[in-house]
Amino acid sequence: MTISDIARLAGVSKSTVSRVLTGSTPVREVLKSRVIKVIKKYNYSPNLAARSLSLKKTGTIGVILNLDPDYHFQDYVSMETLRGISVTATTSHIRLSIAIGSVASILPGIIAERSVDGVIIMGLRDGDIETLSPLSSDEVSPADTIPILLLNYSQEFKSYPSVAFSHEKDAYSLIRYLAGKGHKDIGIIECSPELIYIQNRKRGFLNAFKNLGMDFNDEWDIKINKVNENTAGKEAADYFLALQRRPTAIVASSDNIALSFMGRLLASGVKVPEDISIVGMDNIPISKYVHPALTTEVLDGFGRGKKACQMMCALINSEEIDDKHIFISSAIVERDSLLDIRTRKQRVYFLREKDGLYKG
Amino acid sequence: MTISDIARLAGVSKSTVSRVLTGSTPVREVLKSRVIKVIKKYNYSPNLAARSLSLKKTGTIGVILNLDPDYHFQDYVSMETLRGISVTATTSHIRLSIAIGSVASILPGIIAERSVDGVIIMGLRDGDIETLSPLSSDEVSPADTIPILLLNYSQEFKSYPSVAFSHEKDAYSLIRYLAGKGHKDIGIIECSPELIYIQNRKRGFLNAFKNLGMDFNDEWDIKINKVNENTAGKEAADYFLALQRRPTAIVASSDNIALSFMGRLLASGVKVPEDISIVGMDNIPISKYVHPALTTEVLDGFGRGKKACQMMCALINSEEIDDKHIFISSAIVERDSLLDIRTRKQRVYFLREKDGLYKG
DNA sequence: AATAGACTTGAAACCGGTTTCAAGTCTATA
DNA sequence: TATAGACTTGAAACCGGTTTCAAGTCTATT
């Protein structure tokens, strides 16, 4: 079923059918309704390839998950982001093309073949900047390139628009929050310290320590280069268990690390939160239901995806955008794995349905 | 940069450039190398829309995640499946277009606009069959439709090819395995009993009980209609805690349920596995690292995705396929949440790196 | 040396839409 | 009633590829 078939069946030219479809030019009511009837009858929808070719627009957004494709997704927040993008795209009748793998291997191809109108990149790393730069150099005419939107922010990438979590600010708030609960001795688990967001968080932590007049003990900052977050938690636990003097609270760079860290501590007879408080990040669903329930930072992945999709649509339509860089700030949800060491009271959380959020 | 530009720059006709690109017809070496040089120089790649229009093939596979888009992804295995599809597609130079939402609202559109060469549907439900059937009726000419591949299997859908887990057989094996550990009193948590795979599992369970001469106690079969698996676990725990006589082992329909169920039991002072053994399903990464480590059924999501992508490619190319229905069987990984009640010995698992698998 | 057959190549048609352009129709005004 | 201007519509060009078809060139055989 093509536009010519519809035209023939409705007794008009294909130009007229096209005008009815796009609404670009008014069509007499009598013809219009005749065309619509035929379209409905045969459930006709214009061929995407033909339309894209003519309009020089594909109606598709590309999403690159810049991950090692050989490893599991373990990343709840990324999946929530994807869901946010998808739901928003669907309501705008925009298609989504996704690819998992390195930006370097994926991006040049999709730009050359013009299969999408814009690209959203998740999880860009420092080294990947070299892949992007030739695309925005002076040699390339603007017509030969497409908008690129990043889902993380760094100084190095700041020429590209972004929708990212405000990790630095959030990390600062978290330390202030813990200090408010009486914690002065705070440890940090940094998993994959080469990741940009881990570095941003680190800056926030250090700033908070400095401004709050707290010591930052290097011995309590463990860096783990592990893709598998679960063994990272175990490794970190073994490290802290071996120390003479331990922090009263430990901040992990994800809930997965926090949970496996906590599992290992519990198995070793350490009491959480009585001996050590634990704070995670991500608010993965299970974190609310483990025992003790995990105190964690809530990252609104869905919101990030939604904003990203909206911003990408604006970029594609060359609309004015207010902010080139949008930041999504986190909240802290306090559950049982955190002890207030001034009162030595732990919250009894497990049965509650609703989380009380603290926005820093 | 278009094919005509390349042709002009190389001093040949665009037919010749096309022949160099597709390899459809031999081209003299001298011209060929001239064309290739120009293509390389300008990093040219044919426009996807134009190519699709001409070839009547998009080189794209559609994936529909038939989920309520308003709810979180919580499904590790589905994400692993997506990863399997993606990795396999990428190596075959095939694009992936994904959509999250109901089949009914998504499928007719993508078929009408011909934006993909085939569709893989995840999580089809019983009611959705009505959306599919008009597409395969006699009224529709074969040229107007595209291959559809399902990622779950049911009697009702069996006219469609599928790549699915062998839930019925696996459930049977699991009961036999538990019986081998001395468990005669086994409970079941069925979350969302309207789902096809839950029904398939149920059949396997019942068959096993019957064939092994074990009683199936209806009181120990709790059905929970909850989208949120975590509250489901809590609810199930409350139910079993209130019973006079409890089973010695409980099988949950996912790790998430098992973990929140276990969390609730532990918080109530019940010992796992001494009082109750727990078995999950999915083998989500964290299940290996909680305390006690969860015994669970391993579903090879990645493998399912890989097979699905391969099968879809075969369907698109109208190749002969050996089996219309491919089944991926699970394995059991035994960790600490399961007690052998003949010896009353629990395995000490937590520190082990490698899982010992049992294939039923 | 003539000719059949294989090989190579470019022109033109085609895929299915959108849009420009020009022609035809209708209405309003002088 | 003649004519300007607005409105409606179809023909044709175009988007950027692939493929058919026919013509030209080259080699091999008689």
mmCIF file of all heavy atoms in Angstrom, chain D residues 12-23:
data_model
loop_
_atom_site.group_PDB
_atom_site.id
_atom_site.type_symbol
_atom_site.label_atom_id
_atom_site.label_comp_id
_atom_site.label_asym_id
_atom_site.label_seq_id
_atom_site.Cartn_x
_atom_site.Cartn_y
_atom_site.Cartn_z
ATOM 1 P P DA D 12 3.783 15.709 -16.506
ATOM 2 O OP1 DA D 12 4.048 16.161 -17.888
ATOM 3 O OP2 DA D 12 3.555 14.283 -16.198
ATOM 4 O "O5'" DA D 12 4.969 16.251 -15.587
ATOM 5 C "C5'" DA D 12 5.180 17.665 -15.458
ATOM 6 C "C4'" DA D 12 6.377 17.921 -14.573
ATOM 7 O "O4'" DA D 12 5.988 17.848 -13.177
ATOM 8 C "C3'" DA D 12 7.537 16.916 -14.726
ATOM 9 O "O3'" DA D 12 8.731 17.632 -14.580
ATOM 10 C "C2'" DA D 12 7.301 15.951 -13.585
ATOM 11 C "C1'" DA D 12 6.845 16.935 -12.505
ATOM 12 N N9 DA D 12 6.097 16.360 -11.402
ATOM 13 C C8 DA D 12 5.264 15.279 -11.416
ATOM 14 N N7 DA D 12 4.723 15.010 -10.247
ATOM 15 C C5 DA D 12 5.226 15.987 -9.414
ATOM 16 C C6 DA D 12 5.031 16.257 -8.047
ATOM 17 N N6 DA D 12 4.255 15.541 -7.265
ATOM 18 N N1 DA D 12 5.692 17.327 -7.539
ATOM 19 C C2 DA D 12 6.479 18.053 -8.339
ATOM 20 N N3 DA D 12 6.735 17.892 -9.636
ATOM 21 C C4 DA D 12 6.069 16.836 -10.115
ATOM 22 P P DA D 13 10.133 17.004 -14.949
ATOM 23 O OP1 DA D 13 10.563 17.650 -16.201
ATOM 24 O OP2 DA D 13 10.035 15.525 -14.861
ATOM 25 O "O5'" DA D 13 11.068 17.526 -13.776
ATOM 26 C "C5'" DA D 13 10.849 18.832 -13.229
ATOM 27 C "C4'" DA D 13 11.388 18.883 -11.802
ATOM 28 O "O4'" DA D 13 10.433 18.276 -10.901
ATOM 29 C "C3'" DA D 13 12.704 18.129 -11.596
ATOM 30 O "O3'" DA D 13 13.549 18.913 -10.773
ATOM 31 C "C2'" DA D 13 12.281 16.841 -10.921
ATOM 32 C "C1'" DA D 13 11.105 17.334 -10.086
ATOM 33 N N9 DA D 13 10.148 16.296 -9.713
ATOM 34 C C8 DA D 13 9.648 15.292 -10.496
ATOM 35 N N7 DA D 13 8.785 14.514 -9.866
ATOM 36 C C5 DA D 13 8.714 15.047 -8.594
ATOM 37 C C6 DA D 13 7.977 14.690 -7.454
ATOM 38 N N6 DA D 13 7.137 13.660 -7.414
ATOM 39 N N1 DA D 13 8.132 15.444 -6.347
ATOM 40 C C2 DA D 13 8.983 16.477 -6.396
ATOM 41 N N3 DA D 13 9.730 16.923 -7.405
ATOM 42 C C4 DA D 13 9.542 16.156 -8.484
ATOM 43 P P DC D 14 15.097 18.546 -10.626
ATOM 44 O OP1 DC D 14 15.831 19.817 -10.707
ATOM 45 O OP2 DC D 14 15.415 17.417 -11.532
ATOM 46 O "O5'" DC D 14 15.195 18.003 -9.129
ATOM 47 C "C5'" DC D 14 14.652 18.765 -8.051
ATOM 48 C "C4'" DC D 14 14.503 17.875 -6.850
ATOM 49 O "O4'" DC D 14 13.343 17.033 -7.018
ATOM 50 C "C3'" DC D 14 15.683 16.912 -6.617
ATOM 51 O "O3'" DC D 14 16.345 17.286 -5.437
ATOM 52 C "C2'" DC D 14 15.044 15.540 -6.492
ATOM 53 C "C1'" DC D 14 13.573 15.858 -6.273
ATOM 54 N N1 DC D 14 12.643 14.819 -6.756
ATOM 55 C C2 DC D 14 11.666 14.322 -5.886
ATOM 56 O O2 DC D 14 11.609 14.780 -4.749
ATOM 57 N N3 DC D 14 10.825 13.365 -6.323
ATOM 58 C C4 DC D 14 10.922 12.904 -7.577
ATOM 59 N N4 DC D 14 10.060 11.980 -7.944
ATOM 60 C C5 DC D 14 11.903 13.397 -8.480
ATOM 61 C C6 DC D 14 12.733 14.342 -8.041
ATOM 62 P P DC D 15 17.874 16.825 -5.243
ATOM 63 O OP1 DC D 15 18.685 18.016 -4.956
ATOM 64 O OP2 DC D 15 18.242 15.918 -6.355
ATOM 65 O "O5'" DC D 15 17.798 15.934 -3.938
ATOM 66 C "C5'" DC D 15 17.107 16.367 -2.767
ATOM 67 C "C4'" DC D 15 16.785 15.160 -1.934
ATOM 68 O "O4'" DC D 15 15.579 14.558 -2.443
ATOM 69 C "C3'" DC D 15 17.842 14.062 -2.037
ATOM 70 O "O3'" DC D 15 18.756 14.206 -0.953
ATOM 71 C "C2'" DC D 15 17.042 12.770 -1.901
ATOM 72 C "C1'" DC D 15 15.598 13.187 -2.150
ATOM 73 N N1 DC D 15 14.927 12.496 -3.301
ATOM 74 C C2 DC D 15 13.704 11.864 -3.087
ATOM 75 O O2 DC D 15 13.210 11.885 -1.962
ATOM 76 N N3 DC D 15 13.099 11.254 -4.138
ATOM 77 C C4 DC D 15 13.669 11.261 -5.341
ATOM 78 N N4 DC D 15 13.031 10.646 -6.342
ATOM 79 C C5 DC D 15 14.921 11.896 -5.574
ATOM 80 C C6 DC D 15 15.506 12.485 -4.530
ATOM 81 P P DG D 16 20.335 14.123 -1.316
ATOM 82 O OP1 DG D 16 21.059 14.625 -0.140
ATOM 83 O OP2 DG D 16 20.558 14.727 -2.640
ATOM 84 O "O5'" DG D 16 20.590 12.562 -1.448
ATOM 85 C "C5'" DG D 16 20.372 11.747 -0.314
ATOM 86 C "C4'" DG D 16 20.485 10.297 -0.723
ATOM 87 O "O4'" DG D 16 19.399 9.975 -1.616
ATOM 88 C "C3'" DG D 16 21.771 9.952 -1.480
ATOM 89 O "O3'" DG D 16 22.199 8.679 -1.044
ATOM 90 C "C2'" DG D 16 21.286 9.870 -2.909
ATOM 91 C "C1'" DG D 16 19.913 9.260 -2.708
ATOM 92 N N9 DG D 16 18.996 9.402 -3.819
ATOM 93 C C8 DG D 16 18.979 10.404 -4.754
ATOM 94 N N7 DG D 16 18.028 10.255 -5.639
ATOM 95 C C5 DG D 16 17.370 9.086 -5.265
ATOM 96 C C6 DG D 16 16.263 8.417 -5.847
ATOM 97 O O6 DG D 16 15.602 8.735 -6.835
ATOM 98 N N1 DG D 16 15.928 7.261 -5.148
ATOM 99 C C2 DG D 16 16.584 6.804 -4.021
ATOM 100 N N2 DG D 16 16.125 5.681 -3.480
ATOM 101 N N3 DG D 16 17.623 7.426 -3.474
ATOM 102 C C4 DG D 16 17.956 8.555 -4.136
ATOM 103 P P DG D 17 23.723 8.283 -1.166
ATOM 104 O OP1 DG D 17 24.413 8.846 -0.030
ATOM 105 O OP2 DG D 17 24.197 8.569 -2.534
ATOM 106 O "O5'" DG D 17 23.612 6.701 -0.953
ATOM 107 C "C5'" DG D 17 23.616 5.830 -2.062
ATOM 108 C "C4'" DG D 17 22.336 5.027 -2.093
ATOM 109 O "O4'" DG D 17 21.307 5.861 -2.636
ATOM 110 C "C3'" DG D 17 22.391 3.805 -3.000
ATOM 111 O "O3'" DG D 17 22.753 2.688 -2.221
ATOM 112 C "C2'" DG D 17 20.955 3.668 -3.499
ATOM 113 C "C1'" DG D 17 20.389 5.070 -3.375
ATOM 114 N N9 DG D 17 20.142 5.752 -4.649
ATOM 115 C C8 DG D 17 20.792 6.866 -5.122
ATOM 116 N N7 DG D 17 20.311 7.285 -6.257
ATOM 117 C C5 DG D 17 19.286 6.391 -6.550
ATOM 118 C C6 DG D 17 18.401 6.348 -7.660
ATOM 119 O O6 DG D 17 18.337 7.103 -8.624
ATOM 120 N N1 DG D 17 17.519 5.268 -7.567
ATOM 121 C C2 DG D 17 17.492 4.360 -6.540
ATOM 122 N N2 DG D 17 16.576 3.392 -6.615
ATOM 123 N N3 DG D 17 18.298 4.404 -5.496
ATOM 124 C C4 DG D 17 19.169 5.440 -5.572
ATOM 125 P P DT D 18 23.408 1.413 -3.014
ATOM 126 O OP1 DT D 18 23.757 0.425 -1.980
ATOM 127 O OP2 DT D 18 24.422 1.933 -3.937
ATOM 128 O "O5'" DT D 18 22.210 0.843 -3.890
ATOM 129 C "C5'" DT D 18 21.133 0.165 -3.252
ATOM 130 C "C4'" DT D 18 20.253 -0.458 -4.300
ATOM 131 O "O4'" DT D 18 19.784 0.557 -5.225
ATOM 132 C "C3'" DT D 18 20.929 -1.528 -5.156
ATOM 133 O "O3'" DT D 18 20.002 -2.593 -5.283
ATOM 134 C "C2'" DT D 18 21.182 -0.827 -6.491
ATOM 135 C "C1'" DT D 18 20.009 0.146 -6.561
ATOM 136 N N1 DT D 18 20.242 1.396 -7.350
ATOM 137 C C2 DT D 18 19.374 1.697 -8.366
ATOM 138 O O2 DT D 18 18.436 0.999 -8.683
ATOM 139 N N3 DT D 18 19.654 2.882 -9.020
ATOM 140 C C4 DT D 18 20.678 3.768 -8.746
ATOM 141 O O4 DT D 18 20.809 4.799 -9.397
ATOM 142 C C5 DT D 18 21.552 3.379 -7.663
ATOM 143 C C7 DT D 18 22.689 4.271 -7.290
ATOM 144 C C6 DT D 18 21.297 2.229 -7.024
ATOM 145 P P DT D 19 20.426 -4.004 -5.932
ATOM 146 O OP1 DT D 19 19.710 -5.043 -5.181
ATOM 147 O OP2 DT D 19 21.897 -4.025 -6.044
ATOM 148 O "O5'" DT D 19 19.798 -3.931 -7.393
ATOM 149 C "C5'" DT D 19 18.438 -3.562 -7.532
ATOM 150 C "C4'" DT D 19 18.089 -3.437 -9.000
ATOM 151 O "O4'" DT D 19 18.482 -2.141 -9.495
ATOM 152 C "C3'" DT D 19 18.773 -4.462 -9.913
ATOM 153 O "O3'" DT D 19 17.825 -4.864 -10.884
ATOM 154 C "C2'" DT D 19 19.897 -3.658 -10.557
ATOM 155 C "C1'" DT D 19 19.205 -2.305 -10.706
ATOM 156 N N1 DT D 19 20.099 -1.138 -10.840
ATOM 157 C C2 DT D 19 19.713 -0.118 -11.680
ATOM 158 O O2 DT D 19 18.675 -0.126 -12.310
ATOM 159 N N3 DT D 19 20.593 0.937 -11.737
ATOM 160 C C4 DT D 19 21.800 1.052 -11.061
ATOM 161 O O4 DT D 19 22.511 2.037 -11.205
ATOM 162 C C5 DT D 19 22.141 -0.057 -10.207
ATOM 163 C C7 DT D 19 23.417 -0.037 -9.445
ATOM 164 C C6 DT D 19 21.280 -1.089 -10.144
ATOM 165 P P DT D 20 18.039 -6.274 -11.618
ATOM 166 O OP1 DT D 20 17.244 -7.234 -10.836
ATOM 167 O OP2 DT D 20 19.470 -6.537 -11.907
ATOM 168 O "O5'" DT D 20 17.277 -5.992 -13.009
ATOM 169 C "C5'" DT D 20 16.131 -5.137 -13.017
ATOM 170 C "C4'" DT D 20 16.118 -4.304 -14.272
ATOM 171 O "O4'" DT D 20 17.088 -3.231 -14.178
ATOM 172 C "C3'" DT D 20 16.457 -5.073 -15.558
ATOM 173 O "O3'" DT D 20 15.510 -4.715 -16.547
ATOM 174 C "C2'" DT D 20 17.865 -4.585 -15.917
ATOM 175 C "C1'" DT D 20 17.818 -3.161 -15.388
ATOM 176 N N1 DT D 20 19.135 -2.550 -15.058
ATOM 177 C C2 DT D 20 19.417 -1.298 -15.556
ATOM 178 O O2 DT D 20 18.658 -0.669 -16.276
ATOM 179 N N3 DT D 20 20.645 -0.806 -15.182
ATOM 180 C C4 DT D 20 21.593 -1.416 -14.367
ATOM 181 O O4 DT D 20 22.637 -0.860 -14.106
ATOM 182 C C5 DT D 20 21.220 -2.716 -13.881
ATOM 183 C C7 DT D 20 22.180 -3.466 -13.012
ATOM 184 C C6 DT D 20 20.024 -3.222 -14.233
ATOM 185 P P DC D 21 15.347 -5.676 -17.837
ATOM 186 O OP1 DC D 21 13.888 -5.831 -18.055
ATOM 187 O OP2 DC D 21 16.214 -6.862 -17.713
ATOM 188 O "O5'" DC D 21 15.923 -4.762 -19.009
ATOM 189 C "C5'" DC D 21 15.669 -3.355 -19.000
ATOM 190 C "C4'" DC D 21 16.668 -2.651 -19.884
ATOM 191 O "O4'" DC D 21 17.848 -2.319 -19.111
ATOM 192 C "C3'" DC D 21 17.151 -3.490 -21.079
ATOM 193 O "O3'" DC D 21 17.000 -2.732 -22.263
ATOM 194 C "C2'" DC D 21 18.618 -3.770 -20.756
ATOM 195 C "C1'" DC D 21 18.986 -2.544 -19.925
ATOM 196 N N1 DC D 21 20.153 -2.729 -19.031
ATOM 197 C C2 DC D 21 21.084 -1.697 -18.895
ATOM 198 O O2 DC D 21 20.920 -0.638 -19.523
ATOM 199 N N3 DC D 21 22.147 -1.875 -18.079
ATOM 200 C C4 DC D 21 22.300 -3.031 -17.417
ATOM 201 N N4 DC D 21 23.358 -3.145 -16.615
ATOM 202 C C5 DC D 21 21.357 -4.096 -17.537
ATOM 203 C C6 DC D 21 20.312 -3.908 -18.350
ATOM 204 P P DA D 22 17.042 -3.471 -23.699
ATOM 205 O OP1 DA D 22 15.671 -3.438 -24.254
ATOM 206 O OP2 DA D 22 17.772 -4.750 -23.576
ATOM 207 O "O5'" DA D 22 17.940 -2.464 -24.533
ATOM 208 C "C5'" DA D 22 18.069 -1.107 -24.095
ATOM 209 C "C4'" DA D 22 19.485 -0.637 -24.352
ATOM 210 O "O4'" DA D 22 20.350 -1.020 -23.241
ATOM 211 C "C3'" DA D 22 20.140 -1.226 -25.609
ATOM 212 O "O3'" DA D 22 20.845 -0.201 -26.265
ATOM 213 C "C2'" DA D 22 21.089 -2.274 -25.063
ATOM 214 C "C1'" DA D 22 21.531 -1.577 -23.770
ATOM 215 N N9 DA D 22 22.122 -2.458 -22.763
ATOM 216 C C8 DA D 22 21.737 -3.731 -22.429
ATOM 217 N N7 DA D 22 22.454 -4.265 -21.467
ATOM 218 C C5 DA D 22 23.371 -3.274 -21.152
ATOM 219 C C6 DA D 22 24.417 -3.218 -20.209
ATOM 220 N N6 DA D 22 24.718 -4.227 -19.382
ATOM 221 N N1 DA D 22 25.132 -2.085 -20.156
ATOM 222 C C2 DA D 22 24.834 -1.080 -20.983
ATOM 223 N N3 DA D 22 23.877 -1.017 -21.914
ATOM 224 C C4 DA D 22 23.175 -2.153 -21.940
ATOM 225 P P DA D 23 21.246 -0.322 -27.813
ATOM 226 O OP1 DA D 23 20.203 0.393 -28.571
ATOM 227 O OP2 DA D 23 21.555 -1.737 -28.118
ATOM 228 O "O5'" DA D 23 22.592 0.511 -27.900
ATOM 229 C "C5'" DA D 23 22.854 1.530 -26.924
ATOM 230 C "C4'" DA D 23 24.320 1.498 -26.557
ATOM 231 O "O4'" DA D 23 24.535 0.518 -25.497
ATOM 232 C "C3'" DA D 23 25.247 1.092 -27.708
ATOM 233 O "O3'" DA D 23 26.307 2.014 -27.796
ATOM 234 C "C2'" DA D 23 25.720 -0.299 -27.338
ATOM 235 C "C1'" DA D 23 25.706 -0.203 -25.804
ATOM 236 N N9 DA D 23 25.665 -1.485 -25.107
ATOM 237 C C8 DA D 23 24.849 -2.552 -25.372
ATOM 238 N N7 DA D 23 25.039 -3.579 -24.576
ATOM 239 C C5 DA D 23 26.049 -3.151 -23.723
ATOM 240 C C6 DA D 23 26.695 -3.780 -22.651
ATOM 241 N N6 DA D 23 26.411 -5.013 -22.233
ATOM 242 N N1 DA D 23 27.655 -3.078 -22.008
ATOM 243 C C2 DA D 23 27.936 -1.837 -22.431
ATOM 244 N N3 DA D 23 27.392 -1.145 -23.433
ATOM 245 C C4 DA D 23 26.438 -1.869 -24.037
#
